């Protein structure tokens, strides 16, 4: 069991077993009613292939949400598909800003793309000069999974070079807030048109739709053309197209903003509770998860499972190790119950 925790392909869903209180998966508890209603209305259409009309509606809604032309939008069967498409760009040398989500590495390595891991030290702030000059593809998360660090736009801009494409994973961007101004998505570049920047987004995290697989990519039309050569027909089903359209529409944007405020409040309380309990919070978090460090973290994870809690080891992220646990943000009462269980395990371990 322990050796499997270090496998690159392992995700938090492997830990979220039925019956456990889930701190392992960074997905909200379920879709809002307006999304469920929209999907339910389309159940009767499942005998038909996904329509061009539904695809066009989703593309139009995404383009409007980010102020971009329609030909700069690519619909994805989950954000992970965006990473799967990257080898079609035929990069000669990819640089991955680490620690970060593991799927880009898996996709690029499987295609034989040479990779340099640019491992940032805590507190994991971007160091543009650490990226090899000859890297023609740079991939990073913003906010980054699992550190929950949000990089400023200026730092991302500093990664750009002639002949280089910069890929930004914004899977959690829609629940970020500026702590001072309360501006939504303060570091997103999804609305910035650039020939050398690719943004990959997901709607499944905030809207509780991980089982549906829906996301999108924003890039110059020429880049999208390269990504889609030979792509299979009907990459998204009717229900995913319907959900995408709703999530990026006006009601979806209002909901995401509400969730951002809820998450920010719950996260602040969670950090306060963890700190008061003597649990190290590695860096001020900006997303819907908190990275912690503690002794005997893998044994802690195992014993918490026995007490009914699922937590995510971060041991399989480049630049982190078996001391790190990532905790999804939950409400104050649920967090208190987790910390009580952690205290019990610490007493059992004599630590």
């Amino acid at each position: 069991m322990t050796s499997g925790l270090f496998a690159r392909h392992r995700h938090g869903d492997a830990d979220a077993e039925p019956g456990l209180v889930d701190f392992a998966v960074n997905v909200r508890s379920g879709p809002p009613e307006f999304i469920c209603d929209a999907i339910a209305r389309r159940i009767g259409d499942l005998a038909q292939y996904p329509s061009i009309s539904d695809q066009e509606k989703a593309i139009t809604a995404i383009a409007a949400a980010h102020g971009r032309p329609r030909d700069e939008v690519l619909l994805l069967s989950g954000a992970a598909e965006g990473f799967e498409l990257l080898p079609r760009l035929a990069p000669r040398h990819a640089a991955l800003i680490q620690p970060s989500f593991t799927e880009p590495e898996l996709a690029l390595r499987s295609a034989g793309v040479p990779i340099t891991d640019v491992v940032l030290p805590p507190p994991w702030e971007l160091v543009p000069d650490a990226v090899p000059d000859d890297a023609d593809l740079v991939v990073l998360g913003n906010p980054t999974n699992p550190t929950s660090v949000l990089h400023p736009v200026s730092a991302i801009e500093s990664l750009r070079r002639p002949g280089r494409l910069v890929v930004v994973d914004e899977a959690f961007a829609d629940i970020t807030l500026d702590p001072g101004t309360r501006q939504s998505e303060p570091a997103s570049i999804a609305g910035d048109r650039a020939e050398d920047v690719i943004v990959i987004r997901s709607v499944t995290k905030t809207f509780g739709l991980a089982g549906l697989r829906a996301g999108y990519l924003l890039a110059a039309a020429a880049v999208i053309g390269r990504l889609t050569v030979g792509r299979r027909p009907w990459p998204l089903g009717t229900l995913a197209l319907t959900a995408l359209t709703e999530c990026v529409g006006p009601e979806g944007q209002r909901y995401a903003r509400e969730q951002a405020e809820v998450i920010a409040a719950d996260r602040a309380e969670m950090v306060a509770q963890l700190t008061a309990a003597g649990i190290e919070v590695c860096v001020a978090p900006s997303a819907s998860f908190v990275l912690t460090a503690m002794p005997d973290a893998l044994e802690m994870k195992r014993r918490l499972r026995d007490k009914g809690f699922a937590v995510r080891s971060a041991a399989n992220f480049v630049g982190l190790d078996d001391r790190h646990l990532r905790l999804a943000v939950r409400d104050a009462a649920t967090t208190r119950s987790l910390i009580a269980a952690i205290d019990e395990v610490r007493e059992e371990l004599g630590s």
Side-chain angles (χ1 to χ4, degrees):
M1 173 184 173
T2 300
S3 60
L5 296 175
F6 294 86
R8 287 282 184 270
H9 62 270
R10 183 184 176 89
H11 299 299
D13 61 307
D15 299 307
E17 302 170 50
L20 298 183
V21 180
D22 181 14
F23 281 86
V25 178
N26 303 319
V27 175
R28 303 306 284 168
S29 58
E33 185 175 355
F34 73 94
I35 297 290
C36 293
D37 289 345
I39 291 173
R41 288 193 294 269
R42 302 303 304 275
I43 297 295
D45 298 329
L46 292 183
Q48 306 163 25
Y49 286 96
S51 71
I52 296 296
S53 173
D54 284 329
Q55 292 180 44
E56 295 302 306
K57 286 178 183 176
I59 290 171
T60 298
I62 293 165
H66 297 293
R68 300 184 69 136
R70 297 176 70 261
D71 62 359
E72 294 184 357
V73 176
L74 177 63
L75 305 180
L76 299 174
S77 179
E81 189 197 8
F83 305 123
E84 182 183 318
L85 295 175
L86 292 180
R88 299 185 182 203
L89 299 172
R92 297 182 303 276
H93 180 192
L96 306 183
I97 307 298
Q98 304 282 17
S100 195
F101 186 48
T102 56
E103 288 302 317
E105 176 188 352
L106 294 173
L108 292 165
R109 286 199 189 282
S110 68
V113 177
I115 290 174
T116 294
D117 287 320
V118 181
V119 183
L120 305 177
W124 302 293
E125 296 176 355
L126 273 178
V127 183
D129 291 342
V131 178
D133 288 338
D134 68 341
D136 58 349
L137 185 75
V138 178
V139 185
L140 73 154
N142 204 37
T144 300
N145 177 14
T147 62
S148 205
V149 168
L150 186 65
H151 303 295
V153 172
S154 59
I156 296 172
E157 289 288 327
S158 67
L159 294 171
R160 298 171 64 188
R161 300 282 189 283
R164 172 186 289 175
L165 287 169
V166 177
V167 181
V168 185
D169 172 12
E170 291 194 357
F172 297 95
D174 60 354
I175 50 85
T176 57
L177 287 174
D178 183 290
T181 66
R182 313 309 288 176
Q183 173 193 347
S184 181
E185 302 192 18
S188 173
I189 57 171
D192 299 343
R193 300 182 63 194
E195 297 293 320
D196 57 348
V197 177
I198 299 170
V199 175
I200 297 176
R201 305 266 300 203
S202 171
V203 299
T204 60
K205 314 294 187 184
T206 299
F207 292 87
L209 292 168
L212 197 58
R213 312 312 304 137
Y216 56 94
L217 179 152
L218 303 165
V223 172
I224 287 179
R226 294 165 63 190
L227 289 168
T228 53
V229 172
R231 194 184 188 202
R232 63 183 171 87
W234 309 295
L236 276 76
T238 298
L239 302 187
L241 292 169
T242 300
L244 263 177
T245 302
E246 294 294 327
C247 290
V248 300
E251 190 168 6
Q253 291 187 52
R254 285 194 295 272
Y255 177 81
R257 174 59 193 246
E258 292 168 0
Q259 286 296 297
E261 292 286 359
V262 170
I263 290 168
D266 287 343
R267 186 177 61 227
E269 175 62 23
M270 186 177 203
V271 169
Q273 289 191 35
L274 290 166
T275 302
I279 298 167
E280 179 185 354
V281 175
C282 297
V283 67
S286 296
S288 53
F289 43 91
V290 177
L291 184 66
T292 67
M294 63 183 71
D296 302 313
L298 295 185
E299 181 63 16
M300 174 67 72
K301 171 184 165 58
R302 187 185 71 79
R303 295 198 184 205
L304 285 174
R305 177 185 177 277
D306 293 341
K307 294 180 183 297
F309 294 87
V311 297
R312 168 72 152 96
S313 169
N316 68 330
F317 290 94
V318 174
L320 300 179
D321 55 38
D322 58 7
R323 297 174 300 117
H324 294 100
L325 296 177
R326 189 195 69 190
L327 305 177
V329 171
R330 300 294 184 243
D331 64 81
T334 307
T335 296
R336 276 194 294 273
S337 66
L338 172 67
I339 291 175
I342 290 174
D343 284 340
E344 290 178 9
V345 173
R346 291 195 293 195
E347 186 174 345
E348 293 166 5
L349 295 174
S351 59

